[in-house]
Amino acid sequence: YVQGHFSYQRLNKKEANYNAGLIDPFRNMPYSVADTNSSDWLNQYYNLGFKITTPKLADIWSLGLAVDYDANSGAKQRDVRTLNKYYALSLSSGVIYSVDAKNHIGVNALYKSFKEESRNQNLNNYVNQTFFFLSGLGNAIEYVGSGRDMNYQGEALGAGLQFQHQGDFMVFAAANYTLQAEDANIGFTNTRPGGSILAKIWDVKLNLEKETANYKNSLQLNYHHANSE
């Protein structure tokens, strides 16, 4: 079985504050450029991918593969301006073992490679702007000029385990662990390191469902823990 998808989104962020370096300033990257000139951002998001699953093999095994590709762009509309491009490729594979008709065990693996290029400039070359290079919580260095170019590159590896039981209640439990590393380099030629981050991420999920002739009751518990250094 094969399933494909494609999506496009255009987003105009109004009067965004302090961000002059990242399309998504909340993506756990503390090394970036900021300024005090609030500005609109014009962002575009492209996503495409596909999923492949096999019919049951020997009545107990199922295999799956998913591929996703993201290509995003973002542009700050006021000096210090920035033009950003973000690319990400994700590969996920999974295996499901059916113990019997009611119990199933699954394992999965994830690999992701991503990068973001950030290029700053001023259109008004006669007025230098004040900007800040952020280097962690509460740490910043003030500069005057047209910002700085940043090149972000990262990779992630992950694995997970799932269990499903279908009886009087449907029980689904899943746990995933991801190790993600990203380097922030200053410039594109004669680069120098700006900082690195290593993130360890746990995601745990528990779903309970009870279905009757007229109602369907469900309970979902989620736990997310991320530790970055």
Side-chain angles (χ1 to χ4, degrees):
Y1 309 101
V2 179
Q3 176 186 355
H5 63 270
F6 172 79
S7 66
Y8 168 76
Q9 181 183 11
R10 180 182 176 89
L11 180 62
N12 185 4
K13 292 186 176 181
K14 294 290 188 179
E15 297 298 318
N17 290 311
Y18 307 115
N19 179 29
L22 295 170
I23 295 176
D24 179 8
F26 303 106
R27 68 171 185 85
N28 196 32
M29 170 43 67
Y31 305 101
S32 65
V33 176
D35 67 359
T36 56
N37 297 331
S38 61
S39 170
D40 294 352
W41 274 72
L42 298 180
N43 296 348
Q44 298 184 85
Y45 305 88
Y46 297 85
N47 173 260
L48 60 91
F50 64 88
K51 297 178 181 179
I52 299 175
T53 57
T54 67
K56 272 195 174 182
L57 306 175
D59 286 331
I60 56 173
W61 298 99
S62 296
L63 308 178
L65 174 68
V67 177
D68 274 285
Y69 178 72
D70 294 290
N72 307 331
S73 65
K76 184 172 180 280
Q77 303 298 299
R78 181 183 177 188
D79 294 349
V80 173
R81 299 172 188 255
T82 183
L83 177 60
N84 281 41
K85 295 180 180 180
Y86 175 89
Y87 310 96
L89 176 65
S90 300
L91 304 174
S92 301
S93 61
V95 178
I96 298 175
Y97 172 68
S98 297
V99 181
D100 52 40
K102 294 184 177 181
N103 297 283
H104 310 277
I105 299 172
V107 295
N108 67 280
L110 165 72
Y111 171 76
K112 181 179 180 180
S113 176
F114 60 96
K115 72 173 301 183
E116 182 168 1
E117 299 177 353
S118 176
R119 301 176 185 270
N120 286 146
Q121 66 171 343
N122 289 336
L123 287 190
N124 185 353
N125 294 320
Y126 298 101
V127 178
N128 283 322
Q129 300 290 334
T130 299
F131 69 94
F132 303 87
F133 182 68
L134 308 181
S135 56
L137 184 63
N139 295 309
I141 301 176
E142 181 178 344
Y143 296 91
V144 175
S146 58
R148 60 175 40 170
D149 294 340
M150 298 294 298
N151 186 22
Y152 302 93
Q153 295 177 297
E155 290 183 309
L157 290 173
L161 179 66
Q162 303 85 37
F163 172 74
Q164 179 176 310
H165 170 75
Q166 185 67 59
D168 294 334
F169 286 85
M170 192 285 290
V171 180
F172 177 78
N176 291 279
Y177 175 74
T178 304
L179 184 66
Q180 179 173 299
E182 184 175 3
D183 295 323
N185 296 310
I186 300 172
F188 295 93
T189 58
N190 299 320
T191 63
R192 63 185 190 274
S196 298
I197 188 168
L198 180 66
K200 302 172 183 178
I201 306 166
W202 279 100
D203 287 290
V204 180
K205 177 188 294 186
L206 176 64
N207 288 353
L208 301 175
E209 289 186 3
K210 174 68 174 179
E211 191 168 353
T212 65
N214 299 316
Y215 298 98
K216 182 177 182 180
N217 301 302
S218 64
L219 173 66
Q220 184 177 100
L221 301 175
N222 293 291
Y223 173 77
H224 174 81
H225 177 76
N227 182 24
S228 301
E229 56 188 40

